[in-house]
């Protein structure tokens, strides 16, 4: 008979971590104790640092995560960095099982000339900047430019284009970072070019996100009718899929309304790829090539350059072509996919065998796809396998408590009750300006140092 509960460490405190913790404490077959670690002082990962500030409803899911964190079997340790304060070897004697919930912290490159020029950055960085992510508060994107190119037509591209297009009044009652609100207030941006390398039927954005561009105070959406013409394969996709059809219908409405009178324009362009970013030490122009779609044997519609070029004036480029996971010290890594190799959540070594006691959830498991809720089912799948594996664990003796261990690592973690005080303070700071909160940028700010 085991003489104690199963001890589980979760690395990362984003949505997938909290869905895994919730699934672990919901089941009644196995007694568990769950510790969640994050290198940042605040929990909730992309809900706090990724979701757009003007989409507060999506953030309300944090209330569910808080309920999980308040369960007596769950603890949160902020400001604990995996690989620095805790390694996989450190965790082995302290825990029976470890879950990696580290998401996809980096982004993909375009691999075109000029990508390193000042003013060219990833949407991930820009998002982190306007959401007060401690690592990006000093990014200082130059908004003293008239043209911005956003590469990619997923929902992250929609977020960054919309934040750039919105007026101060539209943003001032959100929880956007103060430094971003101030910078955007003085923004000179007039033209935002959002580039889809394939056609409108292949766009990854969802209906509500593209629809929002029809209701902005200072910006009109602009769509070229010729770029909405569909080849037979795309027409089939539109006929067979309601949400794709609605995307195309919304774009057609925009094309029919013309350019409009508002001072800012969001130009949605399709079947174009950036091929070069040019400028004297900084982004000044983006050369784009017109594409056509070609069908591959597996039915995928790929884009192919036609050798016809155009140049867009732009002082900033935001590549929004997908997130990418980074390797974690001591953990296996699939370089091609940017994920931790796994079989339905059981981590696999390079030889294809299971790495005992190691599991993975969320974007680190399946790559950067799906909405926040997608992580619930995904985490439950991993937890089911963990519980299956419990029978192979030897649970004898009391391991050292991690709180004691961390004292030997020069680490002063933020526990959940301290976070709750910080959370209350952020909400209080927001009240005078009718904002949901004013975020602290760093743990020192949050601790009042
Ligand atoms: P995404 O949905 O995968 O979109 C990436 C976009 O980049 C696609 O349009 C893709 O085009 C394009 N792309 C990739 N490589 C490219 C290249 N070399 N050149 C030009 N374009 C390229 O990724 P995401 O926007 O980062 O979003 C990640 C996930 O978060 C998605 O599941 C998204 O729905 C979710 N999310 C949801 C919300 C929300 O619900 N409001 C908000 C933000 C994010 P191809 O299709 O041609 O590859």
């Amino acid at each position: 008979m085991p003489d104690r509960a199963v001890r589980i460490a979760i690395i990362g405190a984003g949505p997938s971590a909290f869905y895994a913790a919730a699934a672990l404490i919901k089941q009644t077959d196995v007694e568990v104790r769950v510790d969640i670690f994050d290198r940042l002082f605040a929990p909730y990962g992309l809900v706090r640092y990724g979701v757009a500030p003007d989409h507060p409803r999506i953030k309300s899911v944090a209330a569910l995560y808080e309920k999980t964190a308040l369960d007596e079997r769950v603890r949160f340790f902020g400001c604990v960095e995996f690989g620095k304060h805790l390694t996989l070897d450190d965790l082995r004697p302290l825990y029976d099982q470890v879950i990696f919930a580290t998401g996809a912290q980096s982004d993909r490159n375009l691999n075109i000339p000029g990508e390193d020029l000042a003013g060219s950055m990833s949407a991930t960085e820009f998002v982190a900047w306007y959401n007060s992510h401690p690592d990006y508060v000093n990014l200082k994107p130059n908004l003293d430019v008239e043209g911005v190119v956003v590469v990619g037509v997923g929902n992250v591209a929609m977020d960054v284009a919309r934040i750039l297009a919105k007026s101060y009044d539209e943003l001032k009652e959100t929880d956007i970072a103060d430094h971003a609100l101030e910078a955007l207030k003085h923004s000179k941006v007039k033209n935002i070019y959002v580039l889809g390398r394939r056609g409108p039927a292949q766009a990854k954005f969802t209906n509500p996100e593209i629809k929002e561009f029809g209701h902005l105070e200072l910006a009109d959406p602009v769509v070229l009718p010729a770029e909405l013409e569909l080849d037979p394969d795309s027409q089939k996709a539109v006929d067979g899929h309601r949400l794709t059809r609605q995307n195309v219908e919304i774009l057609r409405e925009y094309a029919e309304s013309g350019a409009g009178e508002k001072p800012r324009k969001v130009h949605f362009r399709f079947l174009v790829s950036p091929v070069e970013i040019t400028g004297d030490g900084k982004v000044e122009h983006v050369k784009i090539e017109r594409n056509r779609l070609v069908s591959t044997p597996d039915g995928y519609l790929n884009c192919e350059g036609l050798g016809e070029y155009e140049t867009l004036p732009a002082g900033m480029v935001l590549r929004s072509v997908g997130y990418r996971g980074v390797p974690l010290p001591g953990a296996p890594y699939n370089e091609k996919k940017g994920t931790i190799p796994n079989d339905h959540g059981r981590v696999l070594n390079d030889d294809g065998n299971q790495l005992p006691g190691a599991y993975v959830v969320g974007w680190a498991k399946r790559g950067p796809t799906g909405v926040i809720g997608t992580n619930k089912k995904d985490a439950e799948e991993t937890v089911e396998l963990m519980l299956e594996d419990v029978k192979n664990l030897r649970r004898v003796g009391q391991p050292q408590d991690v709180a004691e261990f961390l004292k030997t690592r020069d680490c002063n973690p933020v526990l959940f009750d301290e976070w709750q005080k910080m959370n209350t303070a952020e909400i209080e700071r927001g009240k005078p300006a009718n904002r949901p909160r004013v975020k602290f940028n760093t743990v020192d700010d949050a601790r009042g140092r």
Side-chain angles (χ1 to χ4, degrees):
M1 281 291 283
D3 68 350
R4 60 168 176 79
V6 176
R7 290 197 180 196
I8 297 155
I10 304 183
I11 310 301
S16 65
F18 279 95
Y19 288 124
L24 282 163
I25 58 172
K26 194 172 153 208
Q27 56 78 39
T28 49
D29 295 337
V30 179
E31 199 193 343
V32 293
R33 294 288 179 276
V34 183
D35 290 341
I36 304 175
F37 300 92
D38 204 288
R39 75 185 181 87
L40 301 177
F41 68 93
Y44 312 143
L46 276 189
V47 167
R48 179 177 168 95
Y49 294 118
V51 172
D54 58 340
H55 281 174
R57 255 194 318 168
I58 303 182
K59 292 175 196 243
S60 58
V61 71
L64 273 183
Y65 306 156
E66 184 177 43
K67 220 172 135 204
T68 300
L70 289 172
D71 187 283
E72 59 184 11
R73 293 163 292 176
V74 177
R75 295 187 297 180
F76 168 72
F77 295 85
C79 289
V80 179
E81 187 170 343
F82 181 75
K84 180 178 165 192
H85 301 113
L86 273 178
T87 66
L88 197 53
D89 285 342
D90 296 331
L91 289 170
R92 289 265 177 232
L94 306 179
Y95 293 94
D96 302 296
Q97 297 179 321
V98 176
I99 306 177
F100 293 107
T102 42
Q105 298 168 41
S106 185
D107 53 85
R108 291 171 46 203
N109 288 324
L110 294 170
N111 297 318
I112 59 171
E115 200 172 354
D116 295 330
L117 284 171
S120 161
M121 66 191 88
S122 69
T124 323
E125 291 169 286
F126 190 71
V127 168
W129 169 73
Y130 66 58
N131 276 333
S132 301
H133 189 296
D135 294 352
Y136 294 96
V137 291
N138 295 318
L139 185 73
K140 296 192 176 66
N142 179 11
L143 300 179
D144 217 7
V145 299
E146 289 199 0
V148 178
V149 165
V150 178
V151 185
V153 279
N155 277 338
V156 172
M158 297 302 105
D159 284 348
V160 295
R162 190 180 66 255
I163 293 294
L164 283 165
K166 276 197 165 179
S167 68
Y168 174 75
D169 281 346
E170 285 170 309
L171 294 172
K172 71 179 185 198
E173 290 187 2
T174 71
D175 68 1
I176 192 166
D178 274 351
H179 52 253
L181 185 60
E182 188 56 25
L184 287 160
K185 186 179 180 181
H186 302 289
S187 163
K188 299 247 167 52
V189 173
K190 277 193 185 151
N191 289 299
I192 302 156
Y193 303 92
V194 185
L195 309 184
R197 62 179 171 180
R198 300 190 293 153
Q202 289 78 38
K204 296 257 173 72
F205 49 67
T206 42
N207 301 156
E209 275 66 24
I210 187 67
K211 227 176 186 164
E212 281 186 82
F213 287 93
H215 306 281
L216 300 181
E217 190 187 347
L218 291 184
D220 287 311
V222 183
V223 179
L224 301 174
E227 291 185 349
L228 297 184
E229 281 169 20
L230 300 177
D231 62 285
D233 286 322
S234 297
Q235 186 61 53
K236 239 189 265 167
V238 165
D239 293 340
H241 199 270
R242 185 174 54 88
L243 298 179
T244 306
R245 186 167 61 248
Q246 282 173 1
N247 268 351
V248 174
E249 278 166 9
I250 295 163
L251 290 165
R252 284 201 176 123
E253 280 169 27
Y254 292 164
E256 277 159 23
S257 331
E261 300 293 320
K262 294 176 187 166
R264 290 182 182 158
K265 306 288 171 212
V266 186
H267 308 262
F268 293 97
R269 300 290 309 267
F270 294 97
L271 290 163
V272 289
S273 286
V275 290
E276 186 178 6
I277 303 170
T278 54
D280 188 6
K282 60 182 189 337
V283 175
E284 287 173 16
H285 292 99
V286 179
K287 185 175 171 188
I288 60 173
E289 182 178 15
R290 172 143 295 286
N291 295 329
R292 68 179 182 118
L293 289 176
V294 284
S295 186
T296 61
D298 57 4
Y300 182 80
L301 287 176
N302 217 342
C303 59
E304 188 180 84
L306 287 170
E308 297 164 17
Y309 301 95
E310 189 184 327
T311 298
L312 302 175
M316 177 155 84
V317 175
L318 297 175
R319 58 177 187 279
S320 182
V321 295
Y323 286 86
R324 185 176 164 75
V326 294
L328 294 172
Y333 181 65
N334 182 327
E335 175 67 43
K336 206 166 152 222
K337 293 186 179 164
T339 55
I340 296 177
N342 68 91
D343 180 11
H344 295 88
R346 284 185 178 119
V347 173
L348 300 178
N349 268 321
D350 294 342
D351 59 11
N353 290 319
Q354 190 186 348
L355 178 64
Y359 303 85
V360 60
V361 292
W363 280 4
K365 172 181 173 183
R366 64 177 197 279
T369 59
V371 293
I372 286 164
T374 314
N375 294 300
K376 184 166 187 273
K377 221 167 159 239
D378 169 292
E380 286 168 356
E381 178 189 55
T382 298
V383 164
E384 216 177 292
L385 298 182
M386 291 172 67
L387 296 170
E388 228 176 73
D389 293 349
V390 159
K391 60 181 180 298
N392 302 324
L393 296 175
R394 278 188 66 244
R395 272 178 288 154
V396 282
Q398 280 297 339
Q400 185 186 16
D401 185 3
V402 75
E404 286 303 311
F405 177 85
L406 286 172
K407 287 182 188 157
T408 68
R409 289 293 164 95
D410 195 22
C411 177
N412 180 12
V414 173
L415 306 184
F416 202 71
D417 56 348
E418 188 180 7
W419 157 249
Q420 282 183 299
K421 287 186 192 119
M422 293 169 173
N423 184 39
T424 306
E426 285 191 343
I427 293 168
E428 283 302 316
R429 279 153 47 108
K431 281 184 182 163
N434 207 21
R435 299 174 67 184
R437 70 178 62 234
V438 173
K439 289 182 188 171
F440 293 116
N441 283 336
T442 64
V443 67
D444 283 346
D445 289 348
R447 281 180 160 154
R449 286 189 189 145

